[in-house]
Amino acid sequence: MMNNFQSLQLLDSYVQIPTISSQITPEIVAQVQTFWHNLGLEFEQLWPQTPGSGNIRNPALFCEIPADVLDAHSLLLYGHWDVQPTGDVNQWVWHGQPCPPFQPTYFLDTNYLGSSPTEIQSKIDPQNLAQLLMVARGAADNKGQHLANILGVLGAKQAGTLQWNIKILLDGEEEVGSPNLRAIVHNHRHKLTADFMVGSDGPKSDNFPTLLLGVRGLLALTVRCQNGSGRMLHSGNYGNITPNPTLPLAHLLDDMEAAVVEMGQTSTAFRDEVDSFFGKVSPDRARFEPFLYPTFNINSLMTEGATGGQRRTIIPSWVEASVDVRLIPGLHPQEVYQRLASIVEKANRSQVGLSFVIAQGSATAASYTSPQREGYAWLKQVVDNFWGEGTRLIPILGGTLPNDIFTEDLSLASYWLPAANSHNRQHDTNEHFILEHFFRQQEFYQVLASTPNQK
């Protein structure tokens, strides 16, 4: 297995490839494939037979690493090579030091060390390498995580101890909701047969080793209210004549949130299953209790005429809210959408001079793998043996991943082992990865890949 400095050099070069989902070109895909080729892995591009309706179309990447033993079981590993947009690059500043998102920048505590592994190698004691913090887009989400996993597998392969046929699927559209992944999986499902799936995404729970059994789903919505005027109107001349759509939309959103809360309270099957395994009281209960219920979250509220820092006394003709609903198992996206759409229809019947429109965006179902399924006992034992005491066992992640494609479409048990440090600011400016987690994840995956499934 390569040393920590060598693997850091690889991570540094990998995150420099600007793989923002909406800006990926064939040349960038080729860069990613070349990166893996230089490690001895030939990732092929997987495409859907019929692409989805969205305008973002990036391939998934796939390769296999054969076991060193006969009649080995197969393990599917998942990660994603696309990253979030950078946001305002002027906000990428860590301890006063500008940190260009695709130029990794390194710190030891609050001390700036430079922007390349070679530059910092002579500045620190090798024993402190694991304490470094890398600021870069994609470092924690998700390039650093799946790179660590794959390097661990390659370490097992190099040592001749690889006990599994490893299949690796790297999504190119995860940060935009994986709109084509389901079609890609269906088009190439013969390649993806496995005993179960293990993925790494999201942060660890309080920096403890974490094993997740599922993820919440996501329903994206746009809700709009308009008064039909087609233009902004003087708030005095038209006040009490033309209705302002803003407060009516706010009341509608309040009704929609109440409906989601009510649906979550009455949908008890998932919580009953969690209680049966985890118990109503457990050491980790407070950490996952909020995730056992759905959320109704307003991402943004925009009116016609909104101009930053300027105030005009107008009645806007429209106001629009962007909403996301996080879903639990048992609440299907379409079921929730139909309930919310019925509230919009009722508002249209009761309001005079206003019209409401709801539009559905991306939708991903929640998913959960029971600990009674194949692979759990083996994986839990490997985790406990390596990490020792303190592993956090969490039934469901608060966020959303395309896990339902594996659990439903491929009927695979699916488990998640996050590798990133907590509070890593993924999706935000100044995303960062503490290298201790990167190095330890490699060691863990070498052990995992070298441990046979005693089935």
Side-chain angles (χ1 to χ4, degrees):
M1 188 173 182
M2 64 183 63
N3 62 42
N4 285 348
F5 180 72
Q6 291 171 319
S7 62
L8 172 57
Q9 288 179 306
L10 288 172
L11 176 59
D12 186 277
S13 62
Y14 194 25
V15 298
Q16 288 188 49
I17 307 173
T19 55
I20 298 172
S21 312
S22 60
Q23 300 176 21
I24 290 171
T25 63
E27 291 74 21
I28 289 176
V29 178
Q31 280 185 269
V32 174
Q33 289 179 286
T34 298
F35 170 84
W36 292 112
H37 169 80
N38 292 337
L39 276 170
L41 298 178
E42 302 301 331
F43 275 87
E44 63 175 303
Q45 298 181 23
L46 301 188
W47 295 89
Q49 186 171 26
T50 303
S53 58
N55 58 4
I56 296 177
R57 296 176 183 173
N58 305 323
L61 301 177
F62 175 81
C63 84
E64 296 186 59
I65 304 174
D68 292 319
V69 296
L70 297 176
D71 300 321
H73 296 283
S74 293
L75 182 62
L76 177 63
L77 304 184
Y78 170 88
H80 62 89
W81 59 275
D82 66 321
V83 301
Q84 282 275 314
T86 61
D88 183 358
V89 294
N90 295 315
Q91 294 184 22
W92 284 77
V93 178
W94 193 259
H95 294 296
Q97 174 65 40
C99 300
F102 293 107
Q103 181 182 319
T105 312
Y106 297 92
F107 297 83
L108 181 60
D109 297 323
T110 61
N111 299 316
Y112 168 64
L113 295 180
S115 57
S116 77
T118 302
E119 184 178 352
I120 65 175
Q121 188 176 23
S122 61
K123 295 183 178 180
I124 65 168
D125 186 314
Q127 298 298 319
N128 292 331
L129 190 62
Q131 306 310 312
L132 294 189
L133 179 148
M134 170 196 279
V135 179
R137 173 58 87 223
D141 186 20
N142 178 258
K143 288 178 176 174
Q145 299 207 43
H146 68 252
L147 175 60
N149 298 349
I150 294 169
L151 290 178
V153 170
L154 290 176
K157 185 66 178 175
Q158 184 178 9
T161 60
L162 185 57
Q163 300 293 311
W164 296 81
N165 293 313
I166 301 294
K167 301 183 177 186
I168 305 168
L169 181 67
L170 300 182
D171 192 351
E173 300 175 333
E174 194 277 339
E175 296 294 8
V176 288
S178 301
N180 291 293
L181 186 60
R182 176 165 275 110
I184 289 172
V185 164
H186 278 263
N187 197 33
H188 301 278
R189 63 185 308 140
H190 61 287
K191 297 178 183 289
L192 303 173
T193 55
D195 289 79
F196 51 93
M197 192 277 280
V198 178
S200 293
D201 205 342
K204 295 178 178 179
S205 174
D206 297 327
N207 287 323
F208 282 87
T210 303
L211 173 57
L212 293 154
L213 303 184
V215 302
R216 283 199 291 192
L218 178 66
L219 172 63
L221 304 169
T222 300
V223 189
R224 187 181 181 98
C225 180
Q226 49 205 22
N227 62 21
S229 65
R231 61 190 177 90
M232 294 170 282
L233 299 173
H234 188 284
S235 65
N237 294 339
Y238 291 88
N240 297 335
I241 298 172
T242 301
N244 188 309
T246 307
L247 279 177
L249 180 63
H251 293 313
L252 178 71
L253 294 171
D254 190 48
D255 291 341
M256 295 171 81
E257 181 187 29
V260 170
V261 170
E262 187 271 333
M263 294 181 79
Q265 293 288 351
T266 57
S267 180
T268 60
F270 172 61
R271 288 190 294 277
D272 289 344
E273 184 170 354
V274 169
D275 289 343
S276 69
F277 181 75
F278 293 84
K280 291 185 179 294
V281 178
S282 75
D284 298 323
R285 184 80 190 202
R287 299 180 179 89
F288 62 72
E289 181 75 25
F291 306 147
L292 303 181
Y293 297 86
T295 69
F296 183 89
N297 179 60
I298 300 171
N299 309 132
S300 63
L301 192 66
M302 176 64 69
T303 67
E304 180 185 34
T307 49
Q310 298 180 14
R311 176 176 176 174
R312 290 183 290 165
T313 51
I314 54 98
I315 298 174
S317 68
W318 59 263
V319 58
E320 183 173 281
S322 173
V323 174
D324 72 62
V325 183
R326 299 285 175 170
L327 305 168
I328 59 172
L331 285 184
H332 192 273
Q334 290 308 309
E335 175 190 3
V336 176
Y337 178 76
Q338 291 302 322
R339 174 72 177 274
L340 299 181
S342 70
I343 295 173
V344 173
E345 291 173 10
K346 181 180 178 181
N348 277 322
R349 291 192 300 268
S350 62
Q351 292 283 349
V352 177
L354 294 170
S355 62
F356 298 87
V357 179
I358 185 172
Q360 179 178 327
S362 61
T364 302
S367 56
Y368 172 73
T369 293
S370 166
Q372 307 301 322
R373 291 285 304 275
E374 59 274 18
Y376 172 79
W378 170 84
L379 183 59
K380 182 67 163 55
Q381 188 65 57
V382 174
V383 168
D384 289 344
N385 288 346
F386 183 85
W387 295 107
E389 296 295 324
T391 299
R392 298 280 172 81
L393 182 60
I394 308 291
I396 196 162
L397 180 71
T400 301
L401 293 161
N403 195 46
D404 65 310
I405 295 174
F406 303 105
T407 58
E408 302 304 318
D409 296 61
L410 292 178
S411 300
L412 292 177
S414 176
Y415 309 101
W416 295 86
L417 297 165
N421 48 283
S422 303
H423 314 299
N424 59 69
R425 301 190 68 165
Q426 63 191 83
H427 293 205
D428 195 1
T429 55
N430 299 314
E431 177 183 344
H432 58 272
F433 200 9
I434 298 173
L435 296 183
E436 176 186 9
H437 299 274
F438 176 61
F439 298 143
R440 288 288 283 164
Q441 186 80 347
Q442 293 174 58
E443 297 169 10
F444 169 67
Y445 260 77
Q446 179 163 356
V447 171
L448 180 148
S450 302
T451 305
N453 186 5
Q454 303 298 329
K455 201 172 179 181

